[in-house]
Amino acid sequence: MGKVYFIADLHFGHRDVIHFDSRPFRDLNEMEEEMIRRWNHKVGPQDHVFVVGDMFGGANTAHAGEIVHSLNGKIHLIRGNHDPKGEVFEELFEEVVPAKGIQVRVRGQKQRVVMRHRFLPIYKGNDEGVVHLYGHTHNSGIAKMENQYIRFMGWLGVPMQSFNVGACNLDYEPKTLEEILEAAGRIRPAR
């Protein structure tokens, strides 16, 4: 098995996301081409990518198929509120599920991960070091409130390892859990 990557809120096919996310792209074509380029630069054919919702936004099934077939790796979709529905769409992916729990290795250690498109204020295992990956709120005011809640819970002694893996937070490319944890200051960068 190859590497395991995560990302959310790519919003392929969604022109308006460029403006409300302040994305650094001129138009939809540039955004899609650049996100495909960044994805394929990192992800190999045997790697697994868990898209934690909203891979698409306004894309029809034909356009979704073109995008998925242009991307490297085996794609697992945790359904978001903008993703199309239907059997033809779902056949594009390894799986399409509302939530998912997996185990990955970070520097040789097993790490449990739970994924859902929307933030979970309390989730099974949050006090046992389970990582929660989510998206949906991009870089909005609600996202800032989620971060305040996470810090407040830590202050109360309820540790939470919750991370918004929206594309705008990951430089528009999938990241490994190790990269996500390093960026958040939860582990030291590898030497």
Side-chain angles (χ1 to χ4, degrees):
M1 183 170 153
K3 291 183 178 181
V4 178
Y5 293 95
F6 305 93
I7 193 164
D9 299 309
L10 291 152
H11 283 261
F12 284 108
H14 192 182
R15 182 173 280 105
D16 292 341
V17 76
I18 296 168
H19 304 295
F20 76 70
D21 243 4
S22 299
R23 292 187 177 197
F25 308 110
R26 281 189 313 268
D27 56 34
L28 184 62
N29 285 339
E30 181 185 26
M31 180 181 82
E32 290 183 344
E33 288 174 7
E34 182 61 18
M35 289 193 312
I36 291 168
R37 186 192 70 74
R38 291 180 191 196
W39 178 301
N40 288 337
H41 179 74
K42 278 191 95 162
V43 177
Q46 297 306 310
D47 295 335
H48 290 262
V49 181
F50 288 86
V51 178
V52 190
D54 286 358
M55 182 166 187
F56 298 97
N60 61 37
T61 302
H63 184 63
E66 291 170 9
I67 296 292
V68 170
H69 292 303
S70 71
L71 297 170
N72 289 341
K74 300 169 188 325
I75 305 171
H76 306 257
L77 179 63
I78 313 311
R79 186 181 296 286
N81 55 301
H82 287 282
D83 293 314
K85 293 184 177 164
E87 189 175 316
V88 173
F89 174 75
E90 292 180 6
E91 289 175 355
L92 297 170
F93 301 94
E94 297 293 310
E95 63 183 332
V96 177
V97 294
K100 180 85 176 173
I102 65 170
Q103 192 167 282
V104 297
R105 289 200 171 271
V106 175
R107 298 185 182 168
Q109 301 294 314
K110 292 178 183 178
Q111 176 63 60
R112 290 179 17 216
V113 177
V114 62
M115 297 166 278
R116 185 170 172 260
H117 183 53
R118 294 179 192 253
F119 175 71
L120 294 168
I122 298 292
Y123 55 93
K124 185 176 181 177
N126 71 294
D127 57 346
E128 299 167 357
V130 174
V131 170
H132 166 44
L133 302 179
Y134 65 97
H136 186 63
T137 54
H138 301 253
N139 54 12
S140 68
I142 294 170
K144 290 174 181 62
M145 289 175 64
E146 291 164 348
N147 287 330
Q148 288 174 342
Y149 175 84
I150 293 164
R151 284 193 300 278
F152 179 70
M153 293 300 284
W155 179 79
L156 291 176
V158 181
M160 295 182 70
Q161 291 205 91
S162 297
F163 304 99
N164 184 331
V165 294
C168 60
N169 298 320
L170 301 184
D171 199 28
Y172 307 97
E173 66 181 28
K175 303 278 186 186
T176 64
L177 185 58
E178 182 172 336
E179 290 173 312
I180 293 164
L181 294 173
E182 281 180 2
R186 298 297 173 93
I187 59 174
R188 289 191 176 139
R191 295 183 199 264

